[in-house]
């Protein structure tokens, strides 16, 4: 689908402008004593998984406005992630949502992915919807359900997702529970929590030694009075009780407005209990907006904690994934923009002078603390991100390349205007 010769031609048009910008930035970074090669390496190594359900147009409960050429099979979804990765060199993984995307032929899907340079990241279970012909309903919860047979079905589903992930080379199961209540009195909180813990314990026994169980939290939606795992504290409590292989997953859209997410990240890493990250942006709640489109400074502050945590704590490797729905924009364009924002924030966070910051913190020099952070935040690092991508054979400007190559037009020609993606 993506012709590399065409990409070279497109890059040629951008190269002189890029080189001008990059040599200016490179010189100023070198003058500051920054190890530019190391910086580029870190940015180049950073890979963010694309969820299999994000390649199609998302919808709200009021409507959905597809734009055509959507991938209707898992093969096509993997191919679309391959296009993104060829352009930005940072989308080298795909995260499957089960049962939306159950592979029919494991060998062939693994081969398609490997040929495109893609790995299978965490697998996600789904007990927030009833599947066609299922005997049990998750209407009143899954792992927390009062009925043992419903809990057993949900546990079994999670075990099957692990088995499926093993065949693909995944190393983590992500569990997000919609379990909760919309009316006061609907649950006995203590019993619902205990049942959830017991169910998770059973799933945990099925986890291979080199796997992680990532537990998401969310304060509200689809339930509006209580959620069984509403916050990072509850997720952490469960993960601690389960054991070493369990950790908390932070989804940027799963907090009440004004929550200090960077502090949550710092503390979880301090406890070696941050397992993964779902990127999006939000104004109110789980808005599913493009990463960095509303609060780039918050994203930068979160990355500052991630960068420090990765250096100064024993917290293990993290699973990174975009978790956003694309209702208005072409999903592929939205994903390219989101990844670009992530890389920009990561690069800026790598440029913070943390030694100087520690001194300023110790001496309570508040103005200096702010200035040190903002010094890095206010730098224009776009040419640095472009340089890392270009150096790997990607596009200098992935979004512009996507448009110049008329990828969506090609996908519509190939798959038609009506092809629909599974997912939300
Ligand atoms: C949830 C949660 C999960 C995601 C589903 C589709 O809000 O963020 O991670 O997989 O949505
Ligand atoms: Mn999520
Ligand atoms: Mn979410």
């Amino acid at each position: 689908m993506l012709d590399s010769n065409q990409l070279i031609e497109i890059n040629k048009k951008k190269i002189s402008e890029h080189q001008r910008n990059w040599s200016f930035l490179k010189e100023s970074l070198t003058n500051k004593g920054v190890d530019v090669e190391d910086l580029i390496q870190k940015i180049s190594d950073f890979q963010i998984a694309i969820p299999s359900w994000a390649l199609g147009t998302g919808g709200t409960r009021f409507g959905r406005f597809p734009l055509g050429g959507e991938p209707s099979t898992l093969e096509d979804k993997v191919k679309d992630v391959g296009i993104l990765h060829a352009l930005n060199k940072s989308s080298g993984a795909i995260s499957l949502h089960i049962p939306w995307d159950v592979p029919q032929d494991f060998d062939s899907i693994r081969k398609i992915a490997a040929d495109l340079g893609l790995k299978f990241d965490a697998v996600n279970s789904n007990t927030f919807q009833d599947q066609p012909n299922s005997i049990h309903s998750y209407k009143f919860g899954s792992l927390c359900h009062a009925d043992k047979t419903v809990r057993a079905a949900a546990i079994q589903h999670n075990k099957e997702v692990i088995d499926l992930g093993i065949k693909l080379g995944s190393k983590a199961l992500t569990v997000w529970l919609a379990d909760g209540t919309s009316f006061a009195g609907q649950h006995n909180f203590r019993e619902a929590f205990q049942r959830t813990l017991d169910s998770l314990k059973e799933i945990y026994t099925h986890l291979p030694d080199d796997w992680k169980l990532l537990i998401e939290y969310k304060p509200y939606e689809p339930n509006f009075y209580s959620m069984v795992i509403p916050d990072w504290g509850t997720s952490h409590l469960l993960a601690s009780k389960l054991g070493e292989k369990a950790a908390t997953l932070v989804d940027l859209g799963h907090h009440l407005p004004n929550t200090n997410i960077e502090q949550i990240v710092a503390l979880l890493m301090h406890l070696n209990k941050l397992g993964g990250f779902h990127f999006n942006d939000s104004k109110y709640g789980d808005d599913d907006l493009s990463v960095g489109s509303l609060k780039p400074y918050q994203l930068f502050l979160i990355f500052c904690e991630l960068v420090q945590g990765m250096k100064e704590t024993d917290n293990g490797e993290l699973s990174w994934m975009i978790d956003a729905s694309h209702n208005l924009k072409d999903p592929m364009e939205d994903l390219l923009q989101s990844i670009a924002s992530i890389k920009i924030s990561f690069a800026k966070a790598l440029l913070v002078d943390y030694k100087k910051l520690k001194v300023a913190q110790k001496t309570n020099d508040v103005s200096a603390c702010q200035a040190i952070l903002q010094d890095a935040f206010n730098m224009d690092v776009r040419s640095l991100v472009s340089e890392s991508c270009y150096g790997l054979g990607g596009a200098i400007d992935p979004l512009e390349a996507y448009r110049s190559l008329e990828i969506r037009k090609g996908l519509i020609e190939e798959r038609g205007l009506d092809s629909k993606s599974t997912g939300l």
Side-chain angles (χ1 to χ4, degrees):
M1 173 51 69
L2 200 144
D3 181 342
S4 49
N5 288 326
Q6 272 180 294
L7 185 54
I8 292 169
E9 286 308 308
I10 286 166
N11 277 340
K12 270 188 195 157
K13 290 187 200 147
K14 285 247 137 190
I15 191 70
S16 56
E17 187 195 346
H18 165 64
Q19 274 166 350
R20 249 193 333 271
N21 294 339
W22 171 231
S23 64
F24 176 75
L25 179 61
K26 190 177 178 183
E27 195 186 328
S28 84
L29 292 177
T30 311
N31 289 342
K32 283 183 189 222
V34 174
D35 180 345
V36 173
E37 295 309 313
D38 179 62
L39 190 62
I40 291 188
Q41 191 61 47
K42 285 196 172 110
I43 297 165
S44 304
D45 290 344
F46 200 62
Q47 298 295 323
I48 305 124
I50 305 294
S52 57
W53 57 268
L55 284 320
T57 318
T60 67
R61 65 187 197 277
F62 301 108
R64 187 169 179 267
F65 306 95
L67 82 167
E70 291 188 5
S72 55
T73 63
L74 180 54
E75 283 72 13
D76 280 350
K77 291 180 183 186
V78 173
K79 283 181 194 161
D80 282 7
V81 179
I83 293 172
L84 296 174
H85 189 48
L87 291 170
N88 68 17
K89 295 291 168 189
S90 304
S91 311
I94 179 160
S95 195
L96 299 194
H97 220 292
I98 311 298
W100 290 337
D101 288 299
V102 180
Q104 303 302 321
D105 179 341
F106 283 86
D107 288 338
S108 122
I109 204 75
R110 266 207 321 259
K111 183 164 180 339
I112 296 175
D115 289 349
L116 295 165
L118 309 178
K119 287 190 182 140
F120 288 92
D121 208 273
V123 273
N124 304 263
S125 59
N126 176 342
T127 59
F128 48 87
Q129 290 172 325
D130 284 342
Q131 302 310 323
N133 308 321
S134 67
I135 319 162
H136 305 288
S137 172
Y138 296 135
K139 179 173 177 184
F140 297 112
S142 60
L143 297 183
C144 84
H145 204 285
D147 182 342
K148 197 173 182 340
T149 59
V150 180
R151 293 203 300 279
I155 292 167
Q156 185 53 27
H157 165 69
N158 277 279
K159 288 183 178 176
E160 283 165 14
V161 175
I162 295 173
D163 293 340
L164 186 150
I166 292 171
K167 290 198 216 163
L168 294 169
S170 296
K171 293 284 174 220
L173 167 72
T174 299
V175 175
W176 170 69
L177 296 181
D179 295 22
T181 67
S182 279
F183 296 94
Q186 201 187 319
H187 262 177
N188 176 305
F189 295 133
R190 281 177 289 114
E191 287 172 8
F193 174 83
Q194 190 58 45
R195 289 194 293 262
T196 303
L197 174 59
D198 292 343
S199 302
L200 286 169
K201 274 186 181 159
E202 231 186 290
I203 296 166
Y204 191 85
T205 59
H206 200 70
L207 216 58
D209 287 344
D210 59 344
W211 269 56
K212 287 244 160 168
L213 174 60
L214 308 177
I215 305 170
E216 281 193 75
Y217 55 90
K218 183 163 159 174
Y220 68 91
E221 201 207 10
N223 282 294
F224 293 97
Y225 172 65
S226 72
M227 293 287 275
V228 176
I229 314 179
D231 51 28
W232 74 278
T234 313
S235 162
H236 177 60
L237 183 61
L238 292 164
S240 307
K241 286 182 184 289
L242 288 169
E244 287 239 314
K245 289 184 275 176
T248 296
L249 186 146
V250 173
D251 181 316
L252 293 181
H254 292 193
H255 303 88
L256 294 173
N258 303 327
T259 300
N260 189 332
I261 305 174
E262 53 272 27
Q263 187 175 13
I264 297 172
V265 168
L267 293 185
L268 283 171
M269 290 192 96
H270 180 61
L271 300 165
N272 300 333
K273 277 295 197 187
L274 182 63
F277 226 89
H278 283 180
F279 291 104
N280 47 60
D281 208 342
S282 114
K283 185 165 168 66
Y284 299 104
D286 201 15
D287 305 349
D288 272 335
L289 301 173
S290 323
V291 186
S293 60
L294 277 175
K295 299 177 198 154
Y297 194 56
Q298 182 194 47
L299 185 64
F300 162 74
L301 294 175
I302 290 168
F303 264 106
C304 290
E305 295 307 328
L306 289 167
V307 164
Q308 291 176 86
M310 288 192 273
K311 218 171 150 195
E312 296 168 9
T313 73
D314 293 325
N315 195 84
E317 294 235 324
L318 299 177
S319 291
W320 312 99
M321 188 185 97
I322 303 274
D323 193 3
S325 175
H326 317 287
N327 307 344
L328 296 179
K329 297 188 224 164
D330 175 339
M332 303 270 270
E333 293 199 353
D334 209 353
L335 288 162
L336 290 170
Q337 286 184 317
S338 287
I339 302 265
S341 284
I342 292 172
K343 290 208 274 190
I344 286 172
S345 294
F346 180 44
K348 288 180 177 184
L350 288 169
L351 289 173
V352 171
D353 190 337
Y354 293 105
K355 270 195 201 135
K356 225 166 136 190
L357 181 64
K358 282 214 160 103
V359 174
Q361 287 171 343
K362 263 199 182 135
T363 52
N364 292 308
D365 189 344
V366 185
S367 308
C369 291
Q370 178 185 328
I372 291 162
L373 289 181
Q374 292 185 348
D375 245 3
F377 179 72
N378 289 324
M379 286 186 83
D380 182 357
V381 297
R382 286 174 297 177
S383 62
L384 167 63
V385 169
S386 296
E387 178 64 16
S388 114
C389 188
Y390 180 59
L392 294 168
I396 292 174
D397 182 338
L399 179 61
E400 206 183 280
Y402 176 84
R403 290 193 166 192
S404 309
L405 290 164
E406 298 187 278
I407 302 228
R408 179 56 58 190
K409 197 169 155 230
L411 293 173
I412 292 174
E413 273 161 20
E414 189 187 311
R415 300 169 183 164
L417 263 174
D418 284 340
S419 79
K420 294 218 168 41
S421 227
T422 47
L424 282 182

